[in-house]
Amino acid sequence: MKKDKKLSTLNMAVQNLKAKKLRTGFMMFFVILMSATVFFSTVLMSNLKRGIKNTTERAGADMIVIPNKGTEDIRDSLFAGTPCSVFFDKSWEKEVAKVKGVERVSAQIYAGTLSASCCDLPVQMIVFNPETDFVVQPWLKDQDAVKLKKGEILVGNRVQAEPGEKLRLYATEFDVAGKLERTGMGYDISVFMTFDTFCKLKDSETARANLPMDDIENKISMLMVDTDNNLEGIDFFNLKKDIENAGTSGEEIYIGTADELLSGISEQVKNLSGYGNILIYISLISTCLALISIFVLTINERRYEFGVLYALGARKKQMRNIILSEALIISGIGGVVGTLLTYSLITVFKDVISIRLNIPFLDVGFANTMPIALLCIAIALITGIVAAICSSYQISKGEVYRLLRENE
């Protein structure tokens, strides 16, 4: 029984790989590199797409009205939480509310803090009116902190502050009343407060130097517009025109849906996804060619070995199985190691990666990464099988005496 085990196809493949450790390690390196590239690229693209989906779904308004010059800033803030300060005339709120087809309107202010000693950290301050708001409060209900008192704020999941602590913004201290769950969008690194609380910054010289605090009662950054669902067949094109003509301040504004506002980022993600796919294809082809080349070269060196096995009664099918077993061991271990190593690095450095690559939320949970990990390992195994089939062809067509004489 022991002899049979020693002469088994799998055991012979393992012994062959151990005998040539340098060659085995070199081939495994290519598989690890390929698996790491595929896993990282796929996880990255998956999170970017999920971030856009979360942002558009949580926008909560049929239409968004913002200053034309502030579209990119607001877009980046919604998607990635990049701090920005955008303002236009508050008179738009009342005028837009009068437009036929508009059911309700709620104003918000977007004001960014500074990366300076006056602020504990740079964040996006989102100011909303609890009396008119229909966007923020619906998903804050579970936080038991919707009815914010003056001086209280809510912080996003990634903001480094806990309930009961104080957060210093523009040399003004605010009480943290609650912390939100992860949203996968810019809200995770934002701070929410009411207009009354925001007006506390009037007493801050730093805030007055950087924000229009002296006239803040007449300023807003965004209008969230909900259309009247009872009106059938609303012409959004004409509604946009009516809203655009409603204001009296003469300011140029942008009117669109959350999808339209984020279309630029969606296009960038599509382009990035395309480049990522090209990188994956190059990695796959390079790894496959490298494995095939190494297998072919090593098999040429092992012709005498295979000739001896043939002479001892081994069949060509057994020879092919040995080569296939070697390829599966290399590609299987390489795929698992590459995937696990990359997963570990992403888990440890996810915050750094998220900040550096401007990704609002990098989800590396088991449910989301396991299918990707299995896919990467499967691709590695398939690559190994292809390499084994291509390289074993020359052995299967060789005659025993030729294989023995070639090394004499």
Side-chain angles (χ1 to χ4, degrees):
M1 291 296 292
K2 263 190 172 180
K3 282 188 176 182
D4 290 339
K5 185 177 180 181
K6 287 183 178 180
L7 293 175
S8 68
T9 299
L10 180 60
N11 191 260
M12 291 185 68
V14 171
Q15 295 305 319
N16 288 336
L17 294 177
K18 284 183 177 180
K20 299 289 184 179
K21 293 179 181 179
L22 183 62
R23 181 194 72 197
T24 302
F26 191 60
M27 288 190 289
M28 202 170 288
F29 170 76
F30 278 99
V31 182
I32 291 173
L33 189 63
M34 179 199 70
S35 301
T37 302
V38 175
F39 184 78
F40 181 75
S41 300
T42 307
V43 168
L44 199 66
M45 291 302 108
S46 175
N47 277 275
L48 281 171
K49 292 175 182 177
R50 193 179 299 117
I52 293 176
K53 183 181 178 182
N54 286 343
T55 305
T56 53
E57 287 179 350
R58 289 179 179 269
D62 294 329
M63 303 181 77
I64 297 174
V65 180
I66 53 179
N68 194 49
K69 60 184 179 182
T71 52
E72 290 187 9
D73 291 335
I74 292 290
R75 180 195 67 191
D76 292 342
S77 180
L78 279 171
F79 178 68
T82 307
C84 70
S85 298
V86 177
F87 299 97
F88 71 118
D89 200 282
K90 184 177 173 62
S91 62
W92 280 90
E93 184 177 9
K94 289 184 179 179
E95 298 303 323
V96 171
K98 297 175 184 177
V99 174
K100 183 180 179 180
V102 173
E103 182 178 359
R104 50 185 176 173
V105 175
S106 183
Q108 294 181 358
I109 288 180
Y110 273 59
T113 64
L114 304 176
S115 180
S117 59
C118 66
C119 306
D120 286 340
L121 67 168
V123 293
Q124 179 67 71
M125 293 187 292
I126 300 177
V127 186
F128 67 98
N129 184 351
E131 295 180 3
T132 62
D133 175 69
F134 58 90
V135 176
V136 177
Q137 292 180 111
W139 59 273
L140 296 180
K141 284 181 179 177
D142 294 336
Q143 299 299 321
D144 296 324
V146 175
K147 295 181 180 179
L148 294 174
K149 299 176 183 177
K150 187 173 181 179
E152 292 183 337
I153 61 173
L154 295 170
V155 298
N157 185 264
R158 288 170 55 193
V159 176
Q160 296 177 354
E162 299 298 328
E165 296 180 352
K166 292 184 181 294
L167 195 62
R168 191 166 173 264
L169 306 173
Y170 286 115
T172 304
E173 288 191 340
F174 298 92
D175 297 317
V176 179
K179 192 163 189 174
L180 310 182
E181 295 179 356
R182 292 182 298 186
T183 64
M185 57 186 292
Y187 287 169
D188 287 338
I189 44 179
S190 298
V191 169
F192 297 86
M193 64 182 69
T194 64
F195 279 85
D196 288 342
T197 298
F198 184 65
C199 285
K200 284 186 63 177
L201 295 178
K202 279 189 170 186
D203 299 328
S204 169
E205 292 183 8
T206 311
R208 290 202 305 272
N210 292 276
L211 303 171
M213 297 308 301
D214 293 335
D215 190 34
I216 198 62
E217 291 86 355
N218 298 315
K219 299 293 183 182
I220 57 174
S221 305
M222 179 190 295
L223 281 177
M224 311 301 283
V225 179
D226 202 9
T227 57
D228 190 348
N229 294 328
N230 294 324
L231 295 178
E232 296 182 3
I234 293 179
D235 189 337
F236 278 92
F237 178 79
N238 289 329
L239 183 57
K240 285 182 183 180
K241 286 291 183 183
D242 292 340
I243 292 175
E244 187 176 353
N245 296 328
T248 57
S249 63
E251 292 176 282
E252 292 185 3
I253 59 172
Y254 171 88
I255 307 166
T257 62
D259 284 330
E260 292 170 342
L261 182 63
L262 295 171
S263 61
I265 293 180
S266 298
E267 193 62 33
Q268 290 176 12
V269 171
K270 286 181 182 178
N271 293 335
L272 188 61
S273 179
Y275 293 133
N277 289 335
I278 291 174
L279 182 64
I280 289 173
Y281 296 146
I282 291 175
S283 177
L284 288 174
I285 294 171
S286 300
T287 303
C288 194
L289 290 176
L291 290 178
I292 291 172
S293 300
I294 296 171
F295 265 115
V296 168
L297 290 173
T298 55
I299 285 173
N300 281 330
E301 297 174 358
R302 296 166 62 189
R303 283 177 177 272
Y304 184 77
E305 171 192 335
F306 288 120
V308 171
L309 290 174
Y310 280 162
L312 293 173
R315 291 173 294 180
K316 290 182 179 180
K317 182 180 179 181
Q318 291 175 306
M319 298 299 99
R320 290 195 297 267
N321 287 340
I322 292 174
I323 296 172
L324 181 61
S325 297
E326 291 180 12
L328 286 176
I329 292 171
I330 290 171
S331 57
I333 294 176
V336 172
V337 171
T339 301
L340 289 179
L341 180 63
T342 309
Y343 175 78
S344 300
L345 290 174
I346 293 176
T347 302
V348 173
F349 298 105
K350 64 179 180 180
D351 291 335
V352 176
I353 295 171
S354 180
I355 293 170
R356 293 291 183 184
L357 299 181
N358 206 26
I359 300 174
F361 175 50
L362 193 56
D363 186 358
V364 290
F366 180 83
N368 291 316
T369 55
M370 181 53 67
I372 299 174
L374 293 175
L375 175 65
C376 293
I377 295 171
I379 291 174
L381 290 172
I382 292 172
T383 303
I385 292 172
V386 172
I389 292 173
C390 293
S391 57
S392 62
Y393 174 72
Q394 58 182 338
I395 289 296
S396 63
K397 67 180 182 179
E399 298 295 336
V400 176
Y401 75 94
R402 287 181 180 175
L403 293 174
L404 291 169
R405 287 177 59 87
E406 280 183 9
N407 277 7
E408 289 181 355

